[in-house]
mmCIF file of all heavy atoms in Angstrom:
data_model
loop_
_atom_site.group_PDB
_atom_site.id
_atom_site.type_symbol
_atom_site.label_atom_id
_atom_site.label_comp_id
_atom_site.label_asym_id
_atom_site.label_seq_id
_atom_site.Cartn_x
_atom_site.Cartn_y
_atom_site.Cartn_z
ATOM 1 N N ASN A 46 -1.316 -22.535 47.993
ATOM 2 C CA ASN A 46 -0.907 -21.143 48.173
ATOM 3 C C ASN A 46 -1.993 -20.310 48.849
ATOM 4 O O ASN A 46 -1.913 -19.093 48.868
ATOM 5 C CB ASN A 46 -0.491 -20.513 46.839
ATOM 6 C CG ASN A 46 -1.632 -20.473 45.840
ATOM 7 O OD1 ASN A 46 -2.729 -20.934 46.103
ATOM 8 N ND2 ASN A 46 -1.353 -19.925 44.679
ATOM 9 N N TYR A 47 -2.995 -20.987 49.426
ATOM 10 C CA TYR A 47 -4.069 -20.286 50.131
ATOM 11 C C TYR A 47 -4.432 -21.084 51.376
ATOM 12 O O TYR A 47 -4.987 -22.183 51.276
ATOM 13 C CB TYR A 47 -5.304 -20.131 49.232
ATOM 14 C CG TYR A 47 -6.405 -19.321 49.859
ATOM 15 C CD1 TYR A 47 -6.348 -17.937 49.850
ATOM 16 C CD2 TYR A 47 -7.486 -19.938 50.483
ATOM 17 C CE1 TYR A 47 -7.356 -17.174 50.434
ATOM 18 C CE2 TYR A 47 -8.497 -19.193 51.065
ATOM 19 C CZ TYR A 47 -8.434 -17.815 51.031
ATOM 20 O OH TYR A 47 -9.423 -17.070 51.611
ATOM 21 N N ALA A 48 -4.074 -20.574 52.531
ATOM 22 C CA ALA A 48 -4.339 -21.286 53.793
ATOM 23 C C ALA A 48 -4.040 -20.354 54.956
ATOM 24 O O ALA A 48 -3.528 -19.257 54.779
ATOM 25 C CB ALA A 48 -3.478 -22.547 53.893
ATOM 26 N N THR A 49 -4.369 -20.802 56.142
ATOM 27 C CA THR A 49 -4.017 -20.062 57.346
ATOM 28 C C THR A 49 -2.684 -20.593 57.891
ATOM 29 O O THR A 49 -2.281 -21.707 57.574
ATOM 30 C CB THR A 49 -5.087 -20.219 58.446
ATOM 31 O OG1 THR A 49 -5.161 -21.600 58.817
ATOM 32 C CG2 THR A 49 -6.437 -19.758 57.967
ATOM 33 N N VAL A 50 -2.029 -19.792 58.689
ATOM 34 C CA VAL A 50 -0.863 -20.263 59.426
ATOM 35 C C VAL A 50 -1.175 -20.122 60.911
ATOM 36 O O VAL A 50 -1.925 -19.242 61.320
ATOM 37 C CB VAL A 50 0.441 -19.501 59.078
ATOM 38 C CG1 VAL A 50 0.890 -19.799 57.678
ATOM 39 C CG2 VAL A 50 0.303 -18.025 59.295
ATOM 40 N N ARG A 51 -0.621 -21.015 61.682
ATOM 41 C CA ARG A 51 -0.851 -21.042 63.122
ATOM 42 C C ARG A 51 0.480 -20.847 63.829
ATOM 43 O O ARG A 51 1.465 -21.507 63.511
ATOM 44 C CB ARG A 51 -1.449 -22.401 63.510
ATOM 45 C CG ARG A 51 -1.636 -22.591 65.002
ATOM 46 C CD ARG A 51 -2.085 -24.011 65.331
ATOM 47 N NE ARG A 51 -1.084 -25.016 65.016
ATOM 48 C CZ ARG A 51 -0.125 -25.422 65.837
ATOM 49 N NH1 ARG A 51 -0.003 -24.893 67.044
ATOM 50 N NH2 ARG A 51 0.737 -26.339 65.467
ATOM 51 N N LEU A 52 0.498 -19.923 64.766
ATOM 52 C CA LEU A 52 1.655 -19.760 65.641
ATOM 53 C C LEU A 52 1.296 -20.333 67.001
ATOM 54 O O LEU A 52 0.195 -20.109 67.500
ATOM 55 C CB LEU A 52 2.022 -18.282 65.802
ATOM 56 C CG LEU A 52 2.520 -17.529 64.579
ATOM 57 C CD1 LEU A 52 2.860 -16.088 64.962
ATOM 58 C CD2 LEU A 52 3.716 -18.202 63.950
ATOM 59 N N THR A 53 2.231 -21.034 67.609
ATOM 60 C CA THR A 53 2.020 -21.470 68.982
ATOM 61 C C THR A 53 2.106 -20.241 69.883
ATOM 62 O O THR A 53 2.554 -19.168 69.465
ATOM 63 C CB THR A 53 3.102 -22.474 69.422
ATOM 64 O OG1 THR A 53 4.367 -21.813 69.436
ATOM 65 C CG2 THR A 53 3.130 -23.693 68.506
ATOM 66 N N ASN A 54 1.683 -20.398 71.107
ATOM 67 C CA ASN A 54 1.762 -19.291 72.062
ATOM 68 C C ASN A 54 3.205 -18.810 72.210
ATOM 69 O O ASN A 54 3.480 -17.610 72.230
ATOM 70 C CB ASN A 54 1.181 -19.727 73.406
ATOM 71 C CG ASN A 54 0.974 -18.560 74.342
ATOM 72 O OD1 ASN A 54 0.382 -17.551 73.969
ATOM 73 N ND2 ASN A 54 1.464 -18.690 75.565
ATOM 74 N N LYS A 55 4.141 -19.749 72.292
ATOM 75 C CA LYS A 55 5.556 -19.376 72.450
ATOM 76 C C LYS A 55 6.065 -18.630 71.217
ATOM 77 O O LYS A 55 6.788 -17.637 71.332
ATOM 78 C CB LYS A 55 6.408 -20.614 72.705
ATOM 79 C CG LYS A 55 7.853 -20.286 72.999
ATOM 80 C CD LYS A 55 8.575 -21.461 73.539
ATOM 81 C CE LYS A 55 9.006 -21.076 74.933
ATOM 82 N NZ LYS A 55 9.675 -22.129 75.648
ATOM 83 N N GLU A 56 5.694 -19.083 70.015
ATOM 84 C CA GLU A 56 6.100 -18.401 68.788
ATOM 85 C C GLU A 56 5.514 -16.984 68.742
ATOM 86 O O GLU A 56 6.202 -16.036 68.371
ATOM 87 C CB GLU A 56 5.644 -19.198 67.562
ATOM 88 C CG GLU A 56 6.368 -20.516 67.402
ATOM 89 C CD GLU A 56 5.680 -21.482 66.471
ATOM 90 O OE1 GLU A 56 4.549 -21.211 65.999
ATOM 91 O OE2 GLU A 56 6.280 -22.547 66.204
ATOM 92 N N PHE A 57 4.249 -16.847 69.137
ATOM 93 C CA PHE A 57 3.581 -15.547 69.135
ATOM 94 C C PHE A 57 4.267 -14.578 70.096
ATOM 95 O O PHE A 57 4.576 -13.439 69.743
ATOM 96 C CB PHE A 57 2.107 -15.732 69.513
ATOM 97 C CG PHE A 57 1.267 -14.511 69.297
ATOM 98 C CD1 PHE A 57 0.689 -14.252 68.068
ATOM 99 C CD2 PHE A 57 1.035 -13.620 70.334
ATOM 100 C CE1 PHE A 57 -0.088 -13.130 67.864
ATOM 101 C CE2 PHE A 57 0.261 -12.497 70.151
ATOM 102 C CZ PHE A 57 -0.306 -12.246 68.903
ATOM 103 N N ILE A 58 4.540 -15.046 71.303
ATOM 104 C CA ILE A 58 5.205 -14.212 72.307
ATOM 105 C C ILE A 58 6.611 -13.822 71.849
ATOM 106 O O ILE A 58 7.026 -12.668 71.987
ATOM 107 C CB ILE A 58 5.243 -14.935 73.671
ATOM 108 C CG1 ILE A 58 3.829 -15.015 74.250
ATOM 109 C CG2 ILE A 58 6.211 -14.260 74.636
ATOM 110 C CD1 ILE A 58 3.691 -15.941 75.438
ATOM 111 N N THR A 59 7.343 -14.772 71.266
ATOM 112 C CA THR A 59 8.698 -14.490 70.785
ATOM 113 C C THR A 59 8.664 -13.483 69.646
ATOM 114 O O THR A 59 9.495 -12.569 69.580
ATOM 115 C CB THR A 59 9.401 -15.787 70.348
ATOM 116 O OG1 THR A 59 9.393 -16.706 71.452
ATOM 117 C CG2 THR A 59 10.843 -15.537 69.934
ATOM 118 N N SER A 60 7.685 -13.615 68.753
ATOM 119 C CA SER A 60 7.537 -12.649 67.663
ATOM 120 C C SER A 60 7.278 -11.250 68.207
ATOM 121 O O SER A 60 7.858 -10.275 67.725
ATOM 122 C CB SER A 60 6.396 -13.076 66.739
ATOM 123 O OG SER A 60 6.159 -12.097 65.758
ATOM 124 N N ARG A 61 6.425 -11.158 69.199
ATOM 125 C CA ARG A 61 6.139 -9.848 69.806
ATOM 126 C C ARG A 61 7.377 -9.250 70.472
ATOM 127 O O ARG A 61 7.610 -8.051 70.424
ATOM 128 C CB ARG A 61 5.032 -9.987 70.855
ATOM 129 C CG ARG A 61 3.665 -10.133 70.287
ATOM 130 C CD ARG A 61 2.987 -8.778 70.346
ATOM 131 N NE ARG A 61 1.821 -8.724 69.517
ATOM 132 C CZ ARG A 61 0.580 -8.691 69.954
ATOM 133 N NH1 ARG A 61 0.339 -8.744 71.244
ATOM 134 N NH2 ARG A 61 -0.413 -8.603 69.116
ATOM 135 N N LYS A 62 8.172 -10.106 71.093
ATOM 136 C CA LYS A 62 9.362 -9.631 71.804
ATOM 137 C C LYS A 62 10.441 -9.121 70.843
ATOM 138 O O LYS A 62 11.047 -8.074 71.079
ATOM 139 C CB LYS A 62 9.932 -10.767 72.661
ATOM 140 C CG LYS A 62 11.172 -10.405 73.428
ATOM 141 C CD LYS A 62 11.653 -11.560 74.290
ATOM 142 C CE LYS A 62 12.914 -11.203 75.049
ATOM 143 N NZ LYS A 62 13.397 -12.334 75.856
ATOM 144 N N TYR A 63 10.681 -9.846 69.775
ATOM 145 C CA TYR A 63 11.798 -9.511 68.879
ATOM 146 C C TYR A 63 11.390 -8.657 67.676
ATOM 147 O O TYR A 63 12.255 -8.218 66.924
ATOM 148 C CB TYR A 63 12.509 -10.794 68.422
ATOM 149 C CG TYR A 63 13.277 -11.414 69.551
ATOM 150 C CD1 TYR A 63 12.736 -12.445 70.307
ATOM 151 C CD2 TYR A 63 14.539 -10.941 69.894
ATOM 152 C CE1 TYR A 63 13.438 -12.995 71.368
ATOM 153 C CE2 TYR A 63 15.247 -11.484 70.952
ATOM 154 C CZ TYR A 63 14.691 -12.518 71.683
ATOM 155 O OH TYR A 63 15.381 -13.061 72.726
ATOM 156 N N LYS A 64 10.106 -8.451 67.475
ATOM 157 C CA LYS A 64 9.557 -7.559 66.447
ATOM 158 C C LYS A 64 10.213 -7.735 65.079
ATOM 159 O O LYS A 64 10.057 -8.761 64.448
ATOM 160 C CB LYS A 64 9.606 -6.124 66.912
ATOM 161 C CG LYS A 64 8.814 -5.900 68.197
ATOM 162 C CD LYS A 64 8.773 -4.448 68.564
ATOM 163 C CE LYS A 64 8.063 -4.241 69.877
ATOM 164 N NZ LYS A 64 6.665 -4.526 69.870
ATOM 165 N N ASN A 65 10.938 -6.738 64.580
ATOM 166 C CA ASN A 65 11.509 -6.785 63.234
ATOM 167 C C ASN A 65 12.721 -7.706 63.103
ATOM 168 O O ASN A 65 13.247 -7.870 62.006
ATOM 169 C CB ASN A 65 11.867 -5.374 62.750
ATOM 170 C CG ASN A 65 10.621 -4.591 62.421
ATOM 171 O OD1 ASN A 65 9.715 -5.091 61.756
ATOM 172 N ND2 ASN A 65 10.559 -3.364 62.893
ATOM 173 N N ASP A 66 13.160 -8.296 64.200
ATOM 174 C CA ASP A 66 14.222 -9.303 64.140
ATOM 175 C C ASP A 66 13.640 -10.712 64.061
ATOM 176 O O ASP A 66 14.378 -11.692 64.067
ATOM 177 C CB ASP A 66 15.142 -9.202 65.361
ATOM 178 C CG ASP A 66 15.916 -7.897 65.387
ATOM 179 O OD1 ASP A 66 16.177 -7.338 64.293
ATOM 180 O OD2 ASP A 66 16.243 -7.424 66.483
ATOM 181 N N TYR A 67 12.315 -10.817 64.013
ATOM 182 C CA TYR A 67 11.610 -12.098 63.922
ATOM 183 C C TYR A 67 10.942 -12.169 62.553
ATOM 184 O O TYR A 67 10.232 -11.242 62.150
ATOM 185 C CB TYR A 67 10.552 -12.197 65.022
ATOM 186 C CG TYR A 67 9.945 -13.565 65.203
ATOM 187 C CD1 TYR A 67 10.414 -14.426 66.188
ATOM 188 C CD2 TYR A 67 8.883 -13.994 64.405
ATOM 189 C CE1 TYR A 67 9.850 -15.677 66.374
ATOM 190 C CE2 TYR A 67 8.316 -15.246 64.590
ATOM 191 C CZ TYR A 67 8.806 -16.075 65.581
ATOM 192 O OH TYR A 67 8.234 -17.323 65.762
ATOM 193 N N ILE A 68 11.178 -13.259 61.848
ATOM 194 C CA ILE A 68 10.631 -13.434 60.503
ATOM 195 C C ILE A 68 9.803 -14.709 60.446
ATOM 196 O O ILE A 68 10.250 -15.769 60.906
ATOM 197 C CB ILE A 68 11.763 -13.530 59.460
ATOM 198 C CG1 ILE A 68 12.607 -12.264 59.467
ATOM 199 C CG2 ILE A 68 11.198 -13.803 58.069
ATOM 200 C CD1 ILE A 68 13.858 -12.368 58.616
ATOM 201 N N LEU A 69 8.617 -14.602 59.880
ATOM 202 C CA LEU A 69 7.813 -15.772 59.555
ATOM 203 C C LEU A 69 8.083 -16.092 58.094
ATOM 204 O O LEU A 69 7.856 -15.250 57.212
ATOM 205 C CB LEU A 69 6.326 -15.482 59.775
ATOM 206 C CG LEU A 69 5.358 -16.591 59.373
ATOM 207 C CD1 LEU A 69 5.591 -17.855 60.196
ATOM 208 C CD2 LEU A 69 3.924 -16.113 59.525
ATOM 209 N N ALA A 70 8.631 -17.273 57.833
ATOM 210 C CA ALA A 70 8.885 -17.714 56.461
ATOM 211 C C ALA A 70 7.824 -18.740 56.107
ATOM 212 O O ALA A 70 7.772 -19.825 56.692
ATOM 213 C CB ALA A 70 10.282 -18.317 56.338
ATOM 214 N N VAL A 71 6.955 -18.396 55.170
ATOM 215 C CA VAL A 71 5.874 -19.287 54.757
ATOM 216 C C VAL A 71 6.280 -19.930 53.439
ATOM 217 O O VAL A 71 6.493 -19.249 52.434
ATOM 218 C CB VAL A 71 4.548 -18.515 54.597
ATOM 219 C CG1 VAL A 71 3.447 -19.457 54.140
ATOM 220 C CG2 VAL A 71 4.165 -17.846 55.910
ATOM 221 N N VAL A 72 6.405 -21.260 53.480
ATOM 222 C CA VAL A 72 6.702 -22.023 52.275
ATOM 223 C C VAL A 72 5.362 -22.575 51.791
ATOM 224 O O VAL A 72 4.808 -23.499 52.376
ATOM 225 C CB VAL A 72 7.698 -23.164 52.544
ATOM 226 C CG1 VAL A 72 8.060 -23.882 51.249
ATOM 227 C CG2 VAL A 72 8.947 -22.638 53.246
ATOM 228 N N SER A 73 4.838 -21.972 50.734
ATOM 229 C CA SER A 73 3.522 -22.353 50.231
ATOM 230 C C SER A 73 3.647 -23.161 48.946
ATOM 231 O O SER A 73 4.724 -23.254 48.351
ATOM 232 C CB SER A 73 2.665 -21.111 49.992
ATOM 233 O OG SER A 73 3.246 -20.303 49.004
#
Side-chain angles (χ1 to χ4, degrees):
N46 62 358
Y47 185 81
T49 63
V50 292
R51 176 186 65 88
L52 294 181
T53 65
N54 192 50
K55 185 167 243 177
E56 292 163 354
F57 191 86
I58 290 168
T59 304
S60 175
R61 284 261 165 109
K62 179 178 179 181
Y63 289 97
K64 301 185 183 292
N65 287 314
D66 294 332
Y67 191 97
I68 300 171
L69 176 62
V71 179
V72 184
S73 63

